[in-house]
């Protein structure tokens, strides 16, 4: 990797606690996480106490904290994996890194432990190149550069706002794919990262992600919820919806999104066939969602992430709200999120 300067005080690691026993998870991550501040948000639907080992600088937020900060006058639900967004909301750091609690550190091709924090921050600190694709991947990494024919006027790049990491072992397939190929596992570690081109959509996975909160924090939110949403990634699309919103917003604001390293090792959890019964609704909705995001354009008056979310929510309600009431509810949640972001952001830390 290129030389990366990490200020510990600029990084929050946000964990959505879906399991109550976090000791194995936290101990696996101790070599990587111990020097940083952690925000753990307990799924408000979870009963019982969290088990967290000592030796971490951690703040834990529970249902009572969510109710106190958010109140009841909102359409936003922070249950399940969506509880992590509460961590995004209350953080005051420049960079957010979020890892699901069914993941442990991966090892690279040399057998060395992958430092997800260092690699995510390197992705975010180095420019992105969304307007012209570099065939040698990220030109700012050590040992790489711009290839012949790449315009010099574009070589300074733009700010990278979002870094999307990948997964070894159990990749983030949807339930139909995993059910059809139950034994398929990802064992290919590809030591590469690239900028996703402008106007190209992508399924952003919330399993292993980092972003510049100061630039696009308001554009990552819990909005689209399936009627039968469950507690497994196969049973949700909240991160996919939020990811398409933030990609369109990044394109509009001239920001970059990267995909590739760092990797995490994702453990086995759940039954794809059972999850298929819940996720099928989301699989069908994607056929409506993608054309919308491919065609939606934001006005030039939208100059901040908050502006973009408000304008996009209007388009969602107008164009998709008539297709399914789920989209109208998502639009309402997007508007409420911006109000909440501004309200919490204007309050003092500690709330």
């Amino acid at each position: 990797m290129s030389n990366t300067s990490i200020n510990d005080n600029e990084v929050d690691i946000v964990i959505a606690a879906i399991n109550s026993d976090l000791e194995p998870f936290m101990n696996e991550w101790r070599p990587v996480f111990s020097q940083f501040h952690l925000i753990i948000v307990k799924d408000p639907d979870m009963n019982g106490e969290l088990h967290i080992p000592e030796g971490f600088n951690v703040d834990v937020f529970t249902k009572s904290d969510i109710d106190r900060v958010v109140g009841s006058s909102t359409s936003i639900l922070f249950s399940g994996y969506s509880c992590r967004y509460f961590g995004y909301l209350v953080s005051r750091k420049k960079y957010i890194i979020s890892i699901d609690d069914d993941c442990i550190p991966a090892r690279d091709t040399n057998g060395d432990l992958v430092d997800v924090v260092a690699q995510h921050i390197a992705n975010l600190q180095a420019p992105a190149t969304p307007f012209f694709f570099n065939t040698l991947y990220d030109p700012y990494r050590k040992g790489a550069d711009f290839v012949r024919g790449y315009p010099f006027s574009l070589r300074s790049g733009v700010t990278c706002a979002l870094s999307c990491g990948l997964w070894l072992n159990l990749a983030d397939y949807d339930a139909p794919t995993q059910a059809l190929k139950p034994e398929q596992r990802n064992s290919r570690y590809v030591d590469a990262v690239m900028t996703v081109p402008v106007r190209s959509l992508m399924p952003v996975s919330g399993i292993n992600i980092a972003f510049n909160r100061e630039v696009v924090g308001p554009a990552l939110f819990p909005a689209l919820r399936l009627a039968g949403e469950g507690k497994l990634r196969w049973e949700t699309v909240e991160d996919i919806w939020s990811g398409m919103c933030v990609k369109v917003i990044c394109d509009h604001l001239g920001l970059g999104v990267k995909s590739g390293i760092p990797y995490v090792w994702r453990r086995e959890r759940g039954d794809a066939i059972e999850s298929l019964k819940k996720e099928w609704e989301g699989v069908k909705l994607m056929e409506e969602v993608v054309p919308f995001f491919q065609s939606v354009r934001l006005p030039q008056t939208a100059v901040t992430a908050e502006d973009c979310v408000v304008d996009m929510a209007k388009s969602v309600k107008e164009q998709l709200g008539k297709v399914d009431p789920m989209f109208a509810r998502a639009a309402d949640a997007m508007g409420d999120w911006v109000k909440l972001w501004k309200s919490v952001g204007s309050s003092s830390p500690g709330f």
Side-chain angles (χ1 to χ4, degrees), residues 212-280:
N212 185 324
R213 185 182 182 276
E214 295 176 353
V215 177
V216 292
L220 289 111
F221 44 74
L224 188 68
R225 294 186 67 87
L226 301 176
E229 185 162 303
K231 301 295 184 180
L232 300 171
R233 279 293 180 194
W234 287 319
E235 301 167 356
T236 69
V237 292
E238 46 81 18
D239 53 344
I240 305 299
W241 174 268
S242 174
M244 284 191 283
C245 289
V246 74
K247 181 57 170 66
V248 170
I249 290 171
C250 283
D251 289 347
H252 173 76
L253 296 177
L255 303 169
V257 175
K258 294 181 182 179
S259 177
I261 60 169
Y263 283 80
V264 296
W265 181 277
R266 192 164 174 238
R267 288 172 162 164
E268 315 287 321
R269 188 161 79 182
D271 184 321
I273 295 178
E274 286 299 313
S275 294
L276 178 57
K277 300 173 184 177
K278 297 181 179 180
E279 194 196 36
W280 184 244

Side-chain angles (χ1 to χ4, degrees), residues 316-339:
V316 169
K317 180 159 283 190
E318 292 170 0
Q319 298 181 43
L320 291 177
K322 57 190 175 184
V323 175
D324 192 296
M326 190 181 308
F327 294 123
R329 291 192 294 270
D332 291 338
M334 291 164 69
D336 286 347
W337 174 259
V338 172
K339 295 174 185 176

Side-chain angles (χ1 to χ4, degrees), residues 289-304:
V289 167
V290 172
F292 166 77
F293 283 108
Q294 287 174 329
S295 62
V296 69
R297 294 294 182 268
L298 298 170
Q300 290 304 308
T301 53
V303 295
T304 66

Side-chain angles (χ1 to χ4, degrees), residues 7 21 45 78 95-97 100 125 131 150 159 175 192-193 231 254-255 264 279 286 289 298 301 315 340 344:
N7 182 342
D21 185 6
D45 297 335
F78 289 97
Y95 299 115
I96 298 286
I97 295 171
D100 277 6
Q125 288 184 348
F131 303 113
Y150 201 100
T159 297
V193 65
K231 301 295 184 180
L255 303 169
V264 296
E279 194 196 36
M286 289 299 294
V289 167
L298 298 170
T301 53
S315 296
L340 186 60
V344 173

